[in-house]
Amino acid sequence: MLLFDRLFRVLIKSGPLTVIDAAGRARLYGTASADVTPVTIRFTDSSTPRRIARNPAKGAGEAYMDGRLLVETGDIRDLVDLIGYNTRWNASNPTRIKLWRPQRIAATLDTWNWQRRSKRNVAHHYDLSGALYDLFLDSDRQYSCAYFDSPAETLDQAQDDKKAHIAAKLMLKPGQRILDIGCGWGGMALYLNRVADVDVLGITLSEEQLKIARERAVSTGVADRVKFELIDYRNLTGTFDRIVSVGMFEHVGPPHYRTFFEKCRSLLTPEGVMLLHTIGRADGPGATDPWLAKYIFPGGYVPALSQMMPAIEKSYLWLTDLEALRLHYAYTLEHWYERVAAARQQIVELYDERFFRMWQFYLAGAISAFRHDGHLVFQLQLTRQRDAVPIVRDYIAIDEQRLRDAVSSKNSRPISL
């Protein structure tokens, strides 16, 4: 416990966090605070504290998965929130430390996502059982940040509003050809076709997502206008009036940013518009923590705007609109966490108890990242021409409300999984 004790004496100021070692001895870290929920944890062996001290994210994640770290008061979300608050990205936080700096070299190497490696990385996460995603996502299976008018809004409503928000920024017109890079299970592509009478090509590297997306297009009678292909964006040819990409850029990797944006420019018509929706960092370039890279998103990396802009500039793209969504993903993830917790038995039956704890830890960590760390979501509108969109952004709110009204009307036909 020596290394662990030294680290946590420095790290935890707000708590309290009670830690019971394998011999039954209790240690208290931090003082009572209205900002966090008190938590008590127990280690079942003597090696776990040392592993956590040497590699906090990986050590704690694996210990929780394996049952060597037990949360006795509160739950894993409370524990991760407590630690996240104490290491929050804030100029007034005196205990902010760089826990993962030693892993930065390894993390950089992990973001070289060549085509074969990209497909393998995507399969690791997105080719899991569809039944898992049905248990915690909304009815349209949107696996990205929703858009909340208020924290009290339902997940399904917020996801519908996210699609309207994005569609409004695309300035869609009937008959246009749209490209959806990283189309997921097809929800965005089907939505755009339904509300704007456009033709959509969705591309993915996930065979499970491709299968379901195609089935949905057939079941809604639009397979002739909404098509899905298993293809890497780097191999795509042709031109499109609009490009949308939601939650895919996190899998590109910094070494490939210029390739990505240059390819998107070549795929856009001269007057075309692109909307990129991606998780980002407010705190500058960083590294994917080793636990997340190993178990959840191999090859994944959350970009800082300072890393994206040089590639955009060199690709001769205009940044015509930029929006920062700060707490929206925290609200989204909290819905997902609650649904996962409620579906514990079903998830254990699908996989096992270790998988359930892994998924819990993943979502708890993500909530903390958006609550306390520098994570947020960027929406970037990009064009080839400076006058491709209006010079004021009023049109976004006007068209967004029109789309919301259209979707909520009794004449809108449902899109089912």
Side-chain angles (χ1 to χ4, degrees):
M1 287 287 294
L2 182 61
L3 287 175
F4 180 94
D5 188 65
R6 286 178 177 175
L7 173 62
F8 275 66
R9 293 290 174 200
V10 173
L11 193 67
I12 306 301
K13 302 300 181 184
S14 298
L17 171 64
T18 304
V19 177
I20 304 171
D21 67 20
R25 294 183 293 264
R27 292 172 172 82
L28 192 67
Y29 301 94
T31 57
S33 169
D35 296 308
V36 296
T37 300
V39 176
T40 299
I41 64 173
R42 179 185 296 274
F43 295 129
T44 64
D45 62 33
S46 59
S47 65
T48 294
R50 182 173 62 255
R51 294 180 188 179
I52 293 174
R54 289 177 173 174
N55 195 327
K58 189 168 182 284
E62 290 180 340
Y64 182 69
M65 289 166 60
D66 295 340
R68 291 179 283 108
L69 186 163
L70 306 176
V71 183
E72 298 197 338
T73 302
D75 66 5
I76 190 62
R77 177 172 50 176
D78 296 325
L79 173 61
V80 175
D81 182 77
L82 186 152
I83 294 171
Y85 178 80
N86 280 277
T87 59
R88 65 197 180 278
W89 184 64
N90 190 306
S92 65
N93 179 18
T95 62
R96 171 79 177 184
I97 60 174
K98 299 291 186 182
L99 290 177
W100 301 284
R101 188 176 296 276
Q103 283 78 40
R104 285 195 174 183
I105 295 176
T108 299
L109 294 174
D110 192 50
T111 60
W112 281 95
N113 290 316
W114 299 283
Q115 292 191 35
R116 182 179 298 178
R117 188 178 188 185
S118 291
K119 189 174 188 309
R120 184 178 69 243
N121 289 343
V122 165
H124 176 90
H125 192 88
Y126 297 98
D127 283 350
L128 294 171
S129 169
L132 169 68
Y133 293 104
D134 286 337
L135 288 171
F136 73 94
L137 297 181
D138 65 297
S139 58
D140 194 38
R141 208 185 277 182
Q142 290 289 307
Y143 194 24
S144 58
C145 176
Y147 186 71
F148 288 82
D149 285 347
S150 77
E153 195 169 52
T154 67
L155 180 61
D156 278 73
Q157 184 63 57
Q159 290 292 12
D160 282 345
D161 291 346
K162 182 265 300 291
K163 287 174 283 189
H165 195 59
I166 289 173
K169 294 182 180 184
L170 287 170
M171 299 181 59
L172 300 166
K173 297 177 182 178
Q176 285 181 329
R177 192 167 184 236
I178 317 301
L179 171 64
D180 183 357
I181 302 177
C183 63
W185 293 277
M188 179 62 73
L190 292 164
Y191 172 87
L192 297 180
N193 166 263
R194 175 160 64 96
V195 300
D197 191 27
V198 293
D199 298 310
V200 190
L201 172 63
I203 62 173
T204 179
L205 293 178
S206 167
E207 295 185 10
E208 286 297 314
Q209 289 184 336
L210 176 71
K211 177 184 175 183
I212 292 172
R214 284 177 169 174
E215 289 173 353
R216 295 180 72 187
V218 170
S219 68
T220 50
V222 296
D224 58 328
R225 301 195 63 192
V226 182
K227 302 180 186 298
F228 299 98
E229 298 294 340
L230 192 74
I231 186 172
D232 191 291
Y233 71 91
R234 288 165 281 202
N235 296 331
L236 199 61
T237 58
T239 56
F240 299 85
D241 301 295
R242 301 289 187 265
I243 297 176
V244 64
S245 185
V246 179
M248 175 271 180
F249 191 73
E250 300 91 324
H251 302 282
V252 171
H256 307 280
Y257 286 173
R258 187 168 177 181
T259 297
F260 177 84
F261 287 113
E262 287 181 346
K263 184 63 178 180
C264 288
R265 187 183 193 280
S266 74
L267 293 169
L268 268 181
T269 59
E271 63 283 356
V273 178
M274 175 177 179
L275 193 286
L276 178 67
H277 171 116
T278 179
I279 301 172
R281 298 175 188 267
D283 53 346
T288 303
D289 81 62
W291 183 87
L292 198 69
K294 179 177 180 180
Y295 292 100
I296 306 298
F297 291 119
Y301 176 77
V302 171
L305 198 60
S306 59
Q307 294 174 292
M308 300 170 65
M309 286 310 300
I312 292 171
E313 293 163 2
K314 290 180 173 65
S315 302
Y316 290 90
L317 286 167
W318 282 89
L319 177 61
T320 48
D321 193 81
L322 172 63
E323 184 174 9
L325 307 180
R326 288 156 287 113
L327 286 170
H328 294 265
Y329 219 156
Y331 301 150
T332 306
L333 286 155
E334 284 161 357
H335 278 281
W336 292 350
Y337 183 93
E338 293 292 346
R339 292 180 177 203
V340 163
R344 178 174 190 156
Q345 188 57 43
Q346 296 100 305
I347 294 173
V348 170
E349 289 172 0
L350 271 175
Y351 291 100
D352 55 29
E353 185 69 31
R354 190 172 188 267
F355 182 94
F356 170 78
R357 289 194 294 263
M358 178 188 75
W359 213 254
Q360 255 197 322
F361 190 82
Y362 149 52
L363 294 176
I367 293 169
S368 179
F370 285 94
R371 282 286 184 188
H372 304 305
D373 211 346
H375 280 43
L376 73 168
V377 169
F378 292 124
Q379 286 191 351
L380 295 85
Q381 186 193 61
L382 303 165
T383 66
R384 291 180 58 168
Q385 297 178 352
R386 72 180 73 202
D387 59 352
V389 298
I391 60 173
V392 293
R393 67 194 311 270
D394 305 47
Y395 70 93
I396 298 174
I398 294 169
D399 203 38
E400 183 175 347
Q401 189 58 55
R402 180 187 64 81
L403 290 165
R404 288 190 181 195
D405 292 343
V407 168
S408 63
S409 74
K410 62 181 180 181
N411 295 324
S412 63
R413 65 181 189 272
I415 301 174
S416 60
L417 282 168

